[in-house]
Amino acid sequence: MDRLPVPASLSSDLLYFGAGLVVLVLWIRDAREGKGQGFPGASWVRGRLWAIAAAGGLALTLLETAGEGLLGISAEQSTLPARSLLPLLGAAVVEEVVFRGYLVVTGRGRAALVGSVVLFSALFAVLHPYLWSWEEGTLTWEVRTKTVFTTAFLFLGSLWFYAVRFAFGNTRHSLLPCFVAHATTNASVWVVKLLQGHLSWGG
């Protein structure tokens, strides 16, 4: 149950949250005007899709939490500063625009779409440094039950985020359900850490 393996400083947390807020404001402007920065998926969808997206994101967190308990690896999760909620919410916008927005192949048939979703979901999961670490110019692999399990749920999460853009009646392929799903997942991770005592309130 991790999303930010390396605690950042308050200034960098605020910067990432601010970047996410700016991108969201520009995206909303595009959705309203149909022009502007040209963000992908800048269109509105019905509230029903928001609910589906949020339910899936919450379900993933609950499944991951239950799985960690069954595997006996709950204690291996990192402790994050309470302020980590800020970059977690920022990531829900920035990562969605990058991955679910730009890193996907559309207009070339279903096989290309599904293949790109699987490929970029794997990239999304592996880029989070759980299976590996980079210290002092040295790459070290960290292949353990906990790191594999966390990476697997990042992959599943990415598949869900892509799904709410290209399925469930999202005919305009809006990114809005992706924002909702990702934000729900990250926020619920933060709440689980709070309940399990894996948040620090100092610094």
Side-chain angles (χ1 to χ4, degrees), residues 26-198:
L26 294 174
W27 186 93
I28 291 173
R29 187 181 72 176
D30 274 6
R32 286 179 174 173
E33 301 177 0
K35 58 183 180 180
Q37 300 300 311
F39 287 109
S43 60
W44 298 107
V45 291
R46 294 170 296 176
R48 180 178 66 87
L49 286 175
W50 300 21
I52 291 172
L58 179 59
L60 282 169
T61 300
L62 295 177
L63 285 172
E64 185 177 1
T65 304
E68 287 180 342
L70 289 172
L71 292 172
I73 56 176
S74 297
E76 295 183 38
Q77 64 179 290
S78 63
T79 296
L80 298 179
R83 66 173 189 271
S84 64
L85 182 60
L86 295 176
L88 285 171
L89 293 177
V93 175
V94 176
E95 291 180 358
E96 290 312 298
V97 169
V98 172
F99 278 89
R100 267 53 69 178
Y102 291 109
L103 295 184
V104 63
V105 178
T106 59
R108 296 188 179 181
R110 190 173 188 83
L113 173 63
V114 173
S116 69
V117 164
V118 173
L119 174 63
F120 288 121
S121 290
L123 178 64
F124 175 80
V126 171
L127 283 178
H128 288 73
Y130 295 104
L131 292 175
W132 57 273
S133 63
W134 181 266
E135 296 179 5
E136 299 180 355
T138 301
L139 176 64
T140 304
W141 292 98
E142 301 284 346
V143 182
R144 309 188 313 273
T145 300
K146 175 65 173 68
T147 60
V148 172
F149 188 78
T150 298
T151 301
F153 265 88
L154 284 164
F155 177 73
L156 292 175
S158 179
L159 292 179
W160 176 247
F161 304 152
Y162 276 112
V164 296
R165 184 178 182 203
F166 295 103
F168 302 104
N170 189 357
T171 56
R172 301 182 68 185
H173 300 163
S174 171
L175 276 177
L176 186 54
C178 306
F179 297 153
V180 172
H182 201 148
T184 301
T185 301
N186 284 1
S188 58
V189 164
W190 188 91
V191 170
V192 169
K193 282 185 173 290
L194 171 65
L195 296 175
Q196 293 183 342
H198 288 285

